[in-house]
Amino acid sequence: MDDEFETLKGKDAQKHIVEKAIEVAERVRSTLGPLGHDKMLVDKMGDFLLTNDGATILSKRHDNDPVARIIAQSAKAQEKAVFDGTTTTVVLLGELLKLAWHYIQKGVQTNAITKGFRAALEIATEVAEENATTGDTPYDAAKKVAKTAITGKSAEDYIEILSDICARAAEAATPDNIKLIGRPGDPNDAELIEGVVVLKQNSYPTEETEFSGKILLLDEELGPPQANLTLADPSRIAQVAQVQAAYMEERLAAIDNMGIKIVLCQKGMDSKAIQHFRRKGIMAVRNIRKSDMHRVAKATQGEVVTDLADIMDEELGEGVCSIRGQDGPNPYIQVVGGNTKVASIILPAQTEQTAAEFSRAMDDAIGVAYITAKSPKTVPGAGSIQARMADAIKKSPPMESSRADLAKLAFAEALMVIPKTLAETASMDIIDAMFDLSLNPKLGVNPLTEKIEDMTHVQEPLTLVLTSMNTATENAIALLRTDEIQKSRPIQETFMDEMN
Ligand SMILES: Nc1ncnc2c1ncn2[C@@H]1O[C@H](COP(=O)(O)OP(=O)(O)OP(=O)(O)O)[C@@H](O)[C@H]1O
Ligand SMILES: [Mg+2]
């Protein structure tokens, strides 16, 4: 081959797309739902990650096939937009393409399939909206979906307190600005805290519990510069000490002159500096983690500065720092600034393993709680909403074009892959389960009891269901319309061809 591209055209291209999409869907399928399995991803360095998150599994896989990459990217985009539902999207996309391919092989044109899919999507959207709860407060709706995200995980024992925290957090801040802080302890003591939590103490003991005003965020050692002295020149010791003292005085005076009330330092502070701050009643905290420094900067609208010599007033943050839990085992400092959309959750757990599990469950729960608080409508999950949508599509009047109508019905069948997969993860009898569900689509799959039963207590955000379905459909249509793939061949392969 003298071409550096490998080109697939027409049916060959479509076949490749469909096969690849099915393969990708298979990679994540077994992770769906409360009994979905985790996958252990091990990278080249031997580091591993346990996850059941669809987007993560696909993005770590590094499949260079263009179809695999498109699907992984759309899963990532969905995760970014609505924080969840990535496995559902990928599984549905795979199923839509599989069923479409069945009809394409029988001579149905892509256009007819597109028409049928779009008609079905419209009906499904109406059904989802009709089945959505209305009248819930943002808090109540967010709490419901947070409960769904926590159910079936080890955090479930603390579902009341944790779902309450998620719902309140969802109203307080965006998920990116919510930090989970694990620590040993009783999960019943979990709490939502406004602002940033810094697991440090003031550098000197004080009766004061609250400091407020200008905040200096410093990424520089607060101590005199090191001098290279040997015992051979003792005469210079006094001189150097003088220079050092003058240097420190100048810097501390700069802090005083700017009216700074709180000094948060990423590096160390020497005892002279600490004494100075104590005398002046300035809060001073040292060795703060970089990530915490940046969160404080965001919350207090300041900047982390690296050189005390030339700070400007606008680089200083402004806010209130409170010393909390001083008498308990886990003291911390709470920083609240003008940007109130920043929050922290203290999440105690008994072991490191449970801490990691809690943190993953909470990450998901906070994300869905957040999108639900913004648009407080929820629909029944556990495959029930898909069964209801499929039922309505099947009962809708036939389309003018019989081929488009076949595609519309295929869409209904594809939706059932969600309840079907949930049933599979519980090793239920699939034929019986799907039969029961199609007879009574108001029910859902309970993988925990292995029964088709009323599952209205499992609620999902309407936005999430609609986004998943739209993303899957639009991607399926775009991929079906592709009739040529030009794949750049791996460099090594091209090189070998040239050698021959
Ligand atoms: N307790 C439950 N019983 C039955 N089904 C449930 C339960 N909890 C959640 N589900 C269903 O599980 C599905 C979601 O599973 P999961 O969270 O594994 O995948 P996802 O949200 O699509 O993708 P990801 O979380 O990987 O981004 C939804 O259909 C939801 O209704
Ligand atoms: Mg999920």
Side-chain angles (χ1 to χ4, degrees):
M1 218 187 294
D2 53 4
D3 193 351
E4 63 174 303
F5 291 105
E6 184 186 330
T7 306
L8 291 172
K9 287 189 173 170
K11 281 270 161 62
D12 287 341
Q14 282 185 316
K15 183 164 181 276
H16 173 79
I17 287 168
V18 171
E19 282 173 353
K20 197 71 200 181
I22 294 171
E23 183 192 322
V24 172
E26 280 304 319
R27 279 180 206 156
V28 294
R29 190 181 158 97
S30 66
T31 69
L32 189 80
L35 285 193
H37 300 286
D38 281 348
K39 294 211 182 258
M40 186 183 280
L41 309 175
V42 187
D43 69 15
K44 285 184 188 136
M45 305 302 288
D47 288 335
F48 69 92
L49 169 74
L50 269 181
T51 184
N52 65 2
D53 178 72
T56 308
I57 293 168
L58 297 184
S59 69
K60 299 270 176 198
R61 172 75 184 231
H62 299 303
D63 184 334
N64 272 331
D65 184 276
V67 180
R69 283 174 54 188
I70 289 172
I71 298 175
Q73 276 163 11
S74 69
K76 257 265 117 20
Q78 164 145 350
E79 173 109 321
K80 212 158 172 236
V82 289
F83 307 99
D84 195 20
T86 59
T87 308
T88 301
T89 306
V90 173
V91 169
L92 182 57
L93 171 61
E95 197 71 8
L96 284 169
L97 288 176
K98 183 161 113 187
L99 298 178
W101 181 237
H102 173 77
Y103 289 114
I104 289 171
Q105 279 177 307
K106 293 191 166 172
V108 177
Q109 299 293 324
T110 312
N111 271 347
I113 299 210
T114 304
K115 252 194 201 154
F117 277 7
R118 289 244 159 87
L121 178 65
E122 206 172 298
I123 300 169
T125 305
E126 274 168 27
V127 172
E129 274 159 3
E130 279 161 21
N131 278 275
T133 52
T134 47
D136 275 340
T137 62
Y139 170 84
D140 287 338
K143 190 170 177 185
K144 277 188 197 166
V145 299
K147 279 189 172 172
T148 301
I150 294 168
T151 305
K153 307 192 176 149
S154 55
E156 190 174 353
D157 290 346
Y158 307 94
I159 197 161
E160 272 305 319
I161 176 163
L162 296 182
S163 58
D164 166 66
I165 286 179
C166 290
R168 286 190 291 123
E171 291 186 288
T174 55
D176 297 343
N177 286 333
I178 299 173
K179 167 98 187 282
L180 291 172
I181 300 158
R183 66 166 199 216
D186 180 353
N188 286 310
D189 294 334
E191 56 177 324
L192 173 68
I193 292 164
E194 184 191 355
V196 182
V197 165
V198 178
L199 295 178
K200 291 281 170 194
Q201 283 179 285
N202 194 21
S203 55
Y204 56 87
T206 170
E207 297 280 297
E208 288 296 327
T209 53
E210 201 175 285
F211 294 79
S212 76
K214 290 186 185 173
I215 304 175
L216 168 65
L217 292 154
L218 186 65
D219 177 14
E220 188 193 20
E221 189 88 22
L222 248 180
Q226 294 300 317
N228 260 336
L229 281 182
T230 61
L231 286 175
D233 42 27
S235 60
R236 291 193 57 219
I237 293 180
Q239 198 189 345
V240 167
Q242 222 175 12
V243 171
Q244 284 180 326
Y247 174 90
M248 274 307 283
E249 254 164 46
E250 197 184 308
R251 318 209 114 206
L252 295 172
I255 292 176
D256 294 346
N257 292 340
M258 293 193 90
I260 290 164
K261 295 283 181 250
I262 298 154
V263 176
L264 303 179
C265 189
Q266 199 173 317
K267 306 246 164 74
M269 258 177 220
D270 83 340
S271 57
K272 275 219 181 84
I274 294 172
Q275 288 306 334
H276 175 86
F277 294 137
R278 192 163 70 104
R279 275 199 308 277
K280 297 274 176 177
I282 294 174
M283 176 186 236
V285 186
R286 54 190 159 160
N287 299 324
I288 299 176
R289 288 164 66 156
K290 186 176 176 185
S291 58
D292 285 344
M293 291 289 285
H294 286 279
R295 283 168 46 74
V296 172
K298 198 172 200 178
T300 63
Q301 289 154 325
E303 274 172 47
V304 179
V305 294
T306 48
D307 186 1
L308 195 46
D310 58 3
I311 3 165
M312 286 180 289
D313 201 54
E314 59 264 32
E315 289 172 323
L316 299 176
E318 177 103 35
V320 179
C321 288
S322 311
I323 299 176
R324 304 260 185 230
Q326 224 170 352
D327 304 325
N330 299 301
Y332 64 87
I333 288 162
Q334 175 188 15
V335 189
V336 179
N339 179 2
T340 52
K341 293 263 168 226
V342 175
S344 308
I345 294 173
I346 295 196
L347 193 58
Q350 282 97 353
T351 65
E352 230 174 84
Q353 165 94 10
T354 45
E357 283 171 19
F358 277 27
S359 159
R360 277 206 289 149
M362 288 292 276
D363 258 344
D364 286 359
I366 291 167
V368 285
Y370 177 75
I371 60 160
T372 310
K374 279 211 295 195
S375 164
K377 286 189 175 178
T378 63
V379 292
S384 183
I385 192 64
Q386 286 84 10
R388 294 172 201 218
M389 297 190 291
D391 185 56
I393 295 168
K394 282 187 205 148
K395 288 178 178 156
S396 65
M399 295 175 71
E400 236 170 68
S401 145
S402 60
R403 288 163 186 239
D405 202 62
L406 282 175
K408 185 189 81 179
L409 296 174
F411 189 98
E413 195 185 332
L415 285 171
M416 294 302 282
V417 76
I418 301 304
K420 190 170 148 202
T421 308
L422 289 170
E424 269 170 15
T425 61
S427 308
M428 289 164 64
D429 183 311
I430 303 301
I431 295 175
D432 283 355
M434 290 303 101
F435 182 71
D436 289 353
L437 194 57
S438 56
L439 280 187
N440 199 343
K442 292 253 165 199
L443 303 179
V445 181
N446 192 342
L448 308 169
T449 60
E450 298 177 25
K451 287 200 174 94
I452 298 297
E453 56 192 25
D454 178 47
M455 292 300 284
T456 37
H457 59 283
V458 171
Q459 291 282 322
E460 288 190 80
L462 172 65
T463 321
L464 181 64
V465 169
L466 294 182
T467 308
S468 283
M469 196 166 60
N470 274 299
T471 310
T473 312
E474 290 312 324
N475 276 295
I477 290 174
L479 286 169
L480 284 173
R481 285 200 170 148
T482 309
D483 67 356
E484 183 167 323
I485 302 173
Q486 290 193 4
K487 226 173 26 163
S488 200
R489 298 165 61 225
I491 291 171
Q492 215 177 0
E493 216 176 277
T494 321
F495 177 73
M496 291 299 283
D497 279 346
E498 274 169 17
M499 294 290 286
N500 293 333

